[in-house]
Amino acid sequence: MKFIDEATITVKAGDGGNGCVSFRREKFIPFGGPDGGDGGDGGCVWLVGDEGLNTLADFRFQRRFEAERGENGHGRNRTGRSGSDLDVPVPVGTQVFEADTGELIGDVIRAGQRLLVAQGGFHGLGNARYKSSTNRAPRESKPGTPGDLRTLKLELKVLADVGLLGLPNAGKSTLLRQVSAARPKVADYPFTTLHPQLGVVRVGPNQSFVMADIPGLIEGASEGAGLGIRFLKHLARTRLLLHLVDVAPPDPDADPLAAIDTVVAELEQYSVELAHLPRWLVLNKTDLLEKEGLAALQARAARQLPGGQPVFAISAATGAGVDALMQAVMRDIEEREVRAAGDAEATGEGERGA
């Protein structure tokens, strides 16, 4: 199925049922009085996270979703049936915006999570509600209120712990194939990856993380060159970026490390927050380079990068150095989780103390 990460839909909640005007008319009861019942509430529209979906492609065919209307009230003080809610499944990682204002309504980040996007109308009141000592035979009722009608913009941002970044043909898809069961297309020409790919990397018992591969960036991507930067949003939720650099580019006169500045510049053009995510440099295709040349390149990369940024040397094709890289990534993720848990605990104690 074609990968679609944006969609616009219209949702309509059910209207509330109208109240009923009715009078009790039974044999031997000459003064029956009003007995009109209330209407039913309209159904609501909910978006529900579904881990079995990974694209918004279904919304190309159906763009309008309507919940059931509430039933009108009946005589004999019978209340109308409420309309059924409508659940619309969406992929986990879907952000929901008001189409007209761009306001963020919510973010579906867990399977089974329910997000209310259209509130059903309130039920109308029957004439029995208006009965009083001075108004014995009211002929008034109240109609139900209309349900919400909204146009929503859906944006899918895949959920991954680690994101792969680099120029086309840097070996990102090859690395993903090497460490996971994902099978992205691999070929000896650029832009073989046309949409994000996800793979689960299993490092050990009960140790795994999700890795995302996006199409390669080229100079001018922020202005629409190549596939542009429209897929960079899928890295926004990651905790760590692996920046792959081809140490043996097709052009023998090209400087492999020049690719670093190109990608960083495009990142900064897109989002300052994304540019400041933790990023490790991974020198790939080391099997095509002599040991002396590789050592010199690593040393130069270490001098060029900001302090504390790790540099790894791997060959995604042969697997050399890949296991060490994945182990380091797993340790980093676990350490971040421990720190996050500690910060949350400290914050909780502070709030209780206050």
Side-chain angles (χ1 to χ4, degrees):
M1 181 178 288
K2 185 177 180 181
F3 183 83
I4 303 292
D5 58 1
E6 293 184 0
T8 300
I9 63 173
T10 300
V11 292
K12 173 68 172 73
D15 297 337
N18 299 325
C20 174
V21 175
S22 174
F23 292 90
R24 187 176 181 186
R25 296 181 177 87
E26 297 179 39
K27 193 175 183 181
F28 308 120
I29 304 179
F31 303 104
D35 67 351
D38 298 343
D41 291 326
C44 302
V45 180
W46 299 79
L47 300 187
V48 183
D50 186 341
E51 59 186 354
L53 299 176
N54 55 17
T55 175
L56 298 174
D58 290 343
F59 297 106
R60 291 183 302 165
F61 310 108
Q62 185 177 359
R63 297 178 181 271
R64 186 177 178 90
F65 299 87
E66 294 189 22
E68 190 178 14
R69 182 186 187 280
E71 191 178 33
N72 294 335
H74 304 279
R76 299 186 180 180
N77 289 310
R78 290 176 296 170
T79 300
R81 182 176 63 84
S82 293
S84 300
D85 289 350
L86 176 64
D87 289 348
V88 181
V90 295
V92 175
T94 300
Q95 286 187 316
V96 186
F97 298 88
E98 185 75 49
D100 296 331
T101 64
E103 176 188 1
L104 177 64
I105 297 173
D107 199 354
V108 181
I109 58 174
R110 297 184 306 276
Q113 178 184 344
R114 293 166 59 84
L115 177 65
L116 178 64
V117 292
Q119 176 66 51
F122 188 69
H123 61 265
L125 304 179
N127 68 333
R129 294 272 195 170
Y130 296 93
K131 177 182 176 182
S132 68
S133 60
T134 58
N135 188 6
R136 300 294 185 87
R139 296 183 177 276
E140 58 184 309
S141 64
K142 187 175 182 181
T145 61
D148 291 342
L149 173 63
R150 309 175 83 173
T151 301
L152 306 177
K153 182 180 179 183
L154 308 182
E155 287 191 6
L156 174 60
K157 294 182 179 178
V158 298
L159 298 177
D161 301 297
V162 180
L164 300 179
L165 195 64
L167 295 181
N169 257 22
K172 303 184 297 299
S173 297
T174 303
L175 177 60
L176 188 63
R177 290 174 67 100
Q178 180 72 245
V179 299
S180 73
R183 288 296 174 264
K185 184 178 179 180
V186 173
D188 58 354
Y189 54 85
F191 296 115
T192 53
T193 300
L194 299 178
H195 55 77
Q197 300 277 349
L198 294 179
V200 178
V201 182
R202 302 196 181 280
V203 178
N206 300 320
Q207 286 185 307
S208 64
F209 58 87
V210 179
M211 180 180 287
D213 173 26
I214 67 167
L217 295 175
I218 63 173
E219 187 173 359
S222 58
E223 300 173 359
L227 293 179
I229 56 175
R230 62 179 297 251
F231 292 116
L232 276 178
K233 63 185 175 186
H234 295 288
L235 300 182
R237 301 181 192 270
T238 59
R239 312 183 200 186
L240 175 66
L241 298 177
L242 298 183
H243 184 170
L244 269 68
V245 175
D246 183 357
V247 299
D251 183 1
D253 298 326
D255 181 7
L257 298 188
I260 300 175
D261 296 332
T262 299
V263 172
V264 170
E266 298 304 326
L267 273 181
E268 292 174 345
Q269 287 281 344
Y270 175 76
S271 166
V272 175
E273 291 78 10
L274 187 58
H276 284 84
L277 277 178
R279 182 166 44 88
W280 293 0
L281 185 66
V282 180
L283 303 178
N284 189 26
K285 304 184 184 181
T286 56
D287 54 310
L288 304 179
L289 212 61
E290 298 292 337
K291 289 185 178 180
E292 295 78 8
L294 177 60
L297 192 63
Q298 282 183 276
R300 194 154 61 88
R303 292 194 300 269
Q304 179 177 330
L305 298 175
Q309 183 171 326
V311 180
F312 292 84
I314 69 165
S315 171
T318 65
V322 171
D323 185 60
L325 173 61
M326 295 300 106
Q327 292 285 353
V329 169
M330 190 74 249
R331 286 194 299 270
D332 181 79
I333 291 174
E334 291 175 339
E335 290 170 2
R336 290 177 190 277
E337 290 176 347
V338 170
R339 288 198 298 269
D343 292 342
E345 185 176 348
T347 303
E349 289 178 355
E351 290 176 350
R352 287 194 295 271

